[in-house]
């Protein structure tokens, strides 16, 4: 029988783990496939690892525990590397990714020959409105700038064939922005839509600041347009200054040179140096990513696991 692997990143999720496990086992009674669940404990500080270990008497449960918190991206990467199934999906442990969709996803991928069946939240119910607003702006912005399409509301909850996952595993970059990497590899994707579900237990690990940094990560990883914009601003300022020089020379020749204009001078110095710093900052962001990429550090470090290395 074919096997479905479920990769589950967990960070401080002791309450959700048993609930998640039960929900999946219940769902799999209706699905004709073997099951493998890979819990990735992302350096949790509570009893997450203990809760996972309670479940490993079930042979289908695998776990990887990190030496510290490396972030959800690293956890997903570790899980995908360890997965041995013919079909692979990623799910949040808080049951915000409805297990009830799995059966339909599996049917679509098998019968209608899609390579990926993804899920999309069409509402953001239960989320602070300001967060939804910035999320929408971010998707508009990145889709204008990047050639790779990012779907608004797309979750990491997507069932993929072995071939798709193998292609993703070939992308070995250090700065991982999965939403982009998933789109980058292409393949035939079918989107299932559903209404946002709130967490069963615990609370979200994403503060506004963390999401902001993640958004910058997405932009820097998938487009170099900000660099082009900096260059264009530079050119525009050169042109303006050139015109201004000519205007001043002509004016001085006609009207003489009464010394004035100190306030306007200060404003110009502020504006120009601000823009210079901004452009330097943009350049710095790309340099920083390059720096981390060149160091070639591992994306995560495993402390313990029951996954046999393949
Ligand atoms: N997560 C993780 N490492 C982190 C942060 C989150 O593995 O550093 C996991 C978390 O346990 C959950 C999933 O990623 O299973 C999604 O996190 P969360 O529910 O907090 O995000 P939200 O659904 O609010 O976007
Ligand atoms: Mg969640």
């Amino acid at each position: 029988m074919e096997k479905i692997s479920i990769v589950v990143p967990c960070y401080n999720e002791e309450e959700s783990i048993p609930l998640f496990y039960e929900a999946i086992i219940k769902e799999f009674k209706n699905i004709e496939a073997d099951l493998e669940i890979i819990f990735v404990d992302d350096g949790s500080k509570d009893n997450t690892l203990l809760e996972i270990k309670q479940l490993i008497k079930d042979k289908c449960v695998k776990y990887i525990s990190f030496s510290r918190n490396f972030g959800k991206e690293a956890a997903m990467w570790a899980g995908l590397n360890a997965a041995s199934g013919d079909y692979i999906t990623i799910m949040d442990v808080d049951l915000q990714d409805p297990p009830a969709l799995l059966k339909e996803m599996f049917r679509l991928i098998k019968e209608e020959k899609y390579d990926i069946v993804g899920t999309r939240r069409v509402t953001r119910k239960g989320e602070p409105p300001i967060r939804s607003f910035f999320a929408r702006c971010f998707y508009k912005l990145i889709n204008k700038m990047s050639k790779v399409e990012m779907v608004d509301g797309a979750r990491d909850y997507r069932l993929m064939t072995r071939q798709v996952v193998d292609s993703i595993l070939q992308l070995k970059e250090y700065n991982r922005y999965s939403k982009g990497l998933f789109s980058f590899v292409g393949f035939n994707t079918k989107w299932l839509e559903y209404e946002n579900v709130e967490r069963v237990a615990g609370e979200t690990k994403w503060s506004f600041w963390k999401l902001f940094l993640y958004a910058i990560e997405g932009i820097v990883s998938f487009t170099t347009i900000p660099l082009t914009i900096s260059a264009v601003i530079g050119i525009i300022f050169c042109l303006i200054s050139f015109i201004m020089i000519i205007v001043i020379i002509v004016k001085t020749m006609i009207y003489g040179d009464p010394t004035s204009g100190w306030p306007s001078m200060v404003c110009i110095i502020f504006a120009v140096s601000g823009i210079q710093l901004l452009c330097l900052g943009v350049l710095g962001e790309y340099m920083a990513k390059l720096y981390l990429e060149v160091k070639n550090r591992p994306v995560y470090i495993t402390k313990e696991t029951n996954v046999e290395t393949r």
Side-chain angles (χ1 to χ4, degrees), residues 13 92-96 155 197 199 204-206:
E13 302 277 9
D92 284 5
V93 71
D94 55 16
L95 290 176
Q96 276 191 306
R155 305 280 300 170
V197 186
R199 280 182 153 263
T204 177
K205 311 294 177 300
W206 294 87

Side-chain angles (χ1 to χ4, degrees), residues 20-220:
F20 175 83
Y21 176 73
E22 260 170 50
I24 294 295
I25 295 293
K26 195 164 139 235
E27 191 54 37
F28 260 75
K29 295 215 167 83
N30 309 318
I31 299 176
E32 274 181 45
D34 287 334
L35 168 67
E36 176 182 61
I37 308 180
I38 302 171
F39 287 104
V40 185
D41 165 33
D42 185 10
S44 302
K45 293 181 184 70
D46 64 359
N47 288 326
T48 299
L49 187 56
L50 277 180
E51 287 290 342
I52 297 172
K53 283 186 174 169
Q54 302 269 319
L55 303 174
I56 53 176
K57 38 186 191 301
D58 183 348
K59 284 280 164 288
C60 73
V61 176
K62 302 270 164 28
Y63 74 96
I64 301 168
S65 178
F66 288 175
S67 58
R68 66 168 170 86
N69 180 246
F70 281 89
K72 186 183 177 190
E73 289 291 339
M76 292 196 286
W77 168 241
L80 291 180
N81 268 305
S84 65
D86 305 289
Y87 302 96
I88 294 132
T89 180
I90 298 166
M91 285 176 89
D92 284 5
V93 71
D94 55 16
L95 290 176
Q96 276 191 306
D97 298 328
L101 292 177
L102 261 179
K103 192 177 159 93
E104 175 66 1
M105 287 159 90
F106 189 50
R107 189 192 68 78
L108 284 167
I109 217 166
K110 279 205 55 132
E111 288 173 17
E112 305 203 5
K113 303 286 171 222
Y114 284 103
D115 301 298
I116 304 170
V117 182
T119 59
R120 248 190 92 210
R121 289 192 295 189
V122 280
T123 57
R124 287 175 170 269
K125 194 177 63 191
E127 206 182 62
I130 182 100
R131 191 164 146 170
S132 310
F133 170 75
F134 278 108
R136 289 222 173 81
C137 293
F138 167 72
Y139 280 106
K140 281 215 183 92
L141 188 72
I142 197 161
N143 280 322
K144 284 235 162 64
M145 293 198 294
S146 169
K147 286 200 192 89
V148 174
E149 199 205 345
M150 318 265 172
V151 180
D152 187 2
R155 305 280 300 170
D156 297 321
Y157 180 30
R158 45 173 65 225
L159 190 64
M160 299 172 275
T161 60
R162 182 82 248 167
Q163 189 191 16
V164 174
V165 172
D166 284 342
S167 328
I168 292 169
L169 293 180
Q170 279 174 22
L171 309 173
K172 295 194 193 312
E173 55 210 75
Y174 178 81
N175 297 290
R176 305 193 69 78
Y177 181 73
S178 290
K179 286 186 201 317
L181 298 178
F182 288 148
S183 312
F184 176 85
V185 295
F187 292 101
N188 254 345
T189 308
K190 163 89 183 166
W191 292 102
L192 292 183
E193 298 187 344
Y194 72 98
E195 301 240 328
N196 193 26
V197 186
E198 294 194 32
R199 280 182 153 263
V200 278
E203 48 195 58
T204 177
K205 311 294 177 300
W206 294 87
S207 61
F208 192 79
W209 178 240
K210 258 184 153 178
L211 278 175
F212 177 73
L213 292 180
Y214 191 56
I216 302 267
E217 172 97 41
I219 292 172
V220 176

